[in-house]
Amino acid sequence: MNSMIKKTLQGANLKQTKARIAVLSALEESKVPMDASEIHKQIQKSNSDVDLATIYRILEKFEASGIAHRVNLNKDRFHYELLSLPHHHHVVCKVCGKVQDIQDCDLSTVEQSVKENLGFAIQNHRLEFFGFCKNCS
Amino acid sequence: MNSMIKKTLQGANLKQTKARIAVLSALEESKVPMDASEIHKQIQKSNSDVDLATIYRILEKFEASGIAHRVNLNKDRFHYELLSLPHHHHVVCKVCGKVQDIQDCDLSTVEQSVKENLGFAIQNHRLEFFGFCKNCS
DNA sequence: TTAGTATATGCAAGTCATTTGCATTTGTCA
DNA sequence: TGACAAATGCAAATGACTTGCATATACTAA
């Protein structure tokens, strides 16, 4: 088994179960954030199966452990992606729904002013762009 | 009746109904994005009533007409706010849930690179900060 | 390696935001 | 004012997500 997966679970003090390994693998293979049902289907493609309820419970654990986090793509379900990915954001096509990553994000000026003006301690942020991808333009 | 509301509906080619006026008023008075149920309660406080299903249908229309838009605060429901507000973003406290506005947002550098590298035509973006507000720090 | 125990899982049922069908009401325009 | 498309209320449906509970499984200590 992928030793990266093993380490990730051990590091988070989580038992290595078939279900968790399956969810982690699915997220790892994916280039874009996945929702619970997509993860479910992906696992079934690998000739395995994990109950949807279990997937939700696992995602909750993963988020609490800092393994993954919920990203909000303005759709009617939540999506999840691994936190081991370098910090980045998403570009979502309004036509085909395609999601792409972007790496740049210099928000230091904005963050500075939030801190000074509101006394707000920023922990993290979410930045998404919506528009039309190359193909749909 | 508030003539601003009248103009807004006329401008969008929407019939001026009691329900739409109520929803628009609620959104206008609010300093922060509201979800459907909050709008519902706010309307009832004004001794009026509009069915929740109708509120959802109105919000959909408002979004399609560019009167309001959905903002995603990473909560389990969608929130709506008027688009007539100057462009801004939100700061959400992870402890008390308080939402505040910020006006600054210079993303021109980031946007430029998205355009050049991905050929993606940006229509709008969403930027939210999460952390601890002054009181909860 | 094995028994013991806390934890994880599957299944079924529940919850809750949001949507939809349909009969009725209402705004608008001629 | 009358006609008609569009909007609304109500009730029922949908679909994502959660929860209760009995069973299965991973890990630990001997």
Side-chain angles (χ1 to χ4, degrees):
Chain A
M1 189 226 313
N2 187 329
S3 86
M4 155 63 149
I5 288 183
K6 198 169 182 173
K7 270 185 206 156
T8 304
L9 291 173
Q10 280 179 338
N13 241 355
L14 294 178
K15 288 186 189 170
Q16 311 203 14
T17 66
K18 159 179 158 288
R20 284 177 183 158
I21 293 165
V23 171
L24 202 40
S25 304
L27 286 173
E28 208 170 42
E29 284 164 24
S30 172
K31 295 259 190 308
V32 292
M34 302 172 92
D35 64 42
S37 147
E38 287 168 341
I39 294 171
H40 190 217
K41 280 180 205 135
Q42 181 56 41
I43 291 174
Q44 289 179 326
K45 271 192 202 158
S46 319
N47 268 337
S48 185
D49 194 40
V50 175
D51 194 84
L52 247 186
T54 302
I55 292 177
Y56 279 108
R57 280 188 277 230
I58 288 175
L59 290 172
E60 198 184 344
K61 278 261 174 205
F62 281 6
E63 177 147 46
S65 314
I67 294 179
H69 77 321
R70 249 172 33 164
V71 295
N72 192 320
L73 302 177
N74 215 29
K75 307 197 173 171
D76 55 1
R77 341 179 179 188
F78 285 112
H79 290 65
Y80 291 82
E81 73 180 348
L82 294 185
L83 270 174
S84 55
L85 300 170
H87 178 76
H88 67 288
H89 299 283
H90 302 285
V91 169
V92 185
C93 180
K94 285 186 168 182
V95 179
C96 65
K98 187 165 100 175
V99 177
Q100 295 169 274
D101 289 350
I102 52 178
Q103 315 296 335
D104 306 339
C105 108
D106 182 11
L107 297 175
S108 46
T109 317
V110 184
E111 291 190 350
Q112 188 61 29
S113 101
V114 169
K115 209 166 294 174
E116 282 171 11
N117 298 329
L118 301 178
F120 191 98
I122 295 176
Q123 268 215 319
N124 52 47
H125 63 259
R126 189 178 314 289
L127 170 62
E128 267 99 36
F129 291 99
F130 301 90
F132 307 110
C133 75
K134 207 168 194 167
N135 291 334
C136 299
S137 273
Chain B
M1 187 226 315
N2 188 329
S3 86
M4 155 62 149
I5 288 183
K6 198 168 183 174
K7 271 185 205 156
T8 304
L9 291 173
Q10 280 179 337
N13 241 356
L14 294 178
K15 288 187 189 170
Q16 309 204 17
T17 65
K18 160 179 157 288
R20 284 178 183 157
I21 292 165
V23 171
L24 202 40
S25 303
L27 286 173
E28 209 171 41
E29 285 164 24
S30 173
K31 295 259 192 307
V32 293
M34 302 173 92
D35 63 43
S37 148
E38 287 167 340
I39 293 172
H40 190 218
K41 279 180 205 136
Q42 181 56 41
I43 291 175
Q44 290 179 327
K45 270 192 200 157
S46 318
N47 268 337
S48 185
D49 195 39
V50 175
D51 194 84
L52 246 186
T54 302
I55 293 177
Y56 279 108
R57 281 188 278 229
I58 288 176
L59 291 172
E60 199 184 344
K61 278 262 176 206
F62 281 6
E63 176 147 45
S65 313
I67 293 178
H69 77 321
R70 251 177 22 171
V71 295
N72 192 321
L73 302 177
N74 215 27
K75 307 197 173 171
D76 53 4
R77 340 178 179 189
F78 285 111
H79 288 66
Y80 290 83
E81 75 180 347
L82 294 185
L83 270 175
S84 56
L85 299 171
H87 179 77
H88 68 286
H89 299 282
H90 302 285
V91 169
V92 185
C93 180
K94 286 186 169 183
V95 179
C96 65
K98 185 164 100 173
V99 177
Q100 295 169 275
D101 289 349
I102 51 177
Q103 316 295 336
D104 308 338
C105 106
D106 182 11
L107 297 175
S108 47
T109 316
V110 183
E111 291 190 349
Q112 189 60 32
S113 101
V114 169
K115 208 166 297 175
E116 281 171 11
N117 298 330
L118 300 178
F120 191 98
I122 295 176
Q123 269 216 318
N124 52 49
H125 62 260
R126 187 180 315 290
L127 171 62
E128 267 99 36
F129 291 98
F130 300 90
F132 307 109
C133 75
K134 207 168 194 167
N135 290 335
C136 299
S137 274

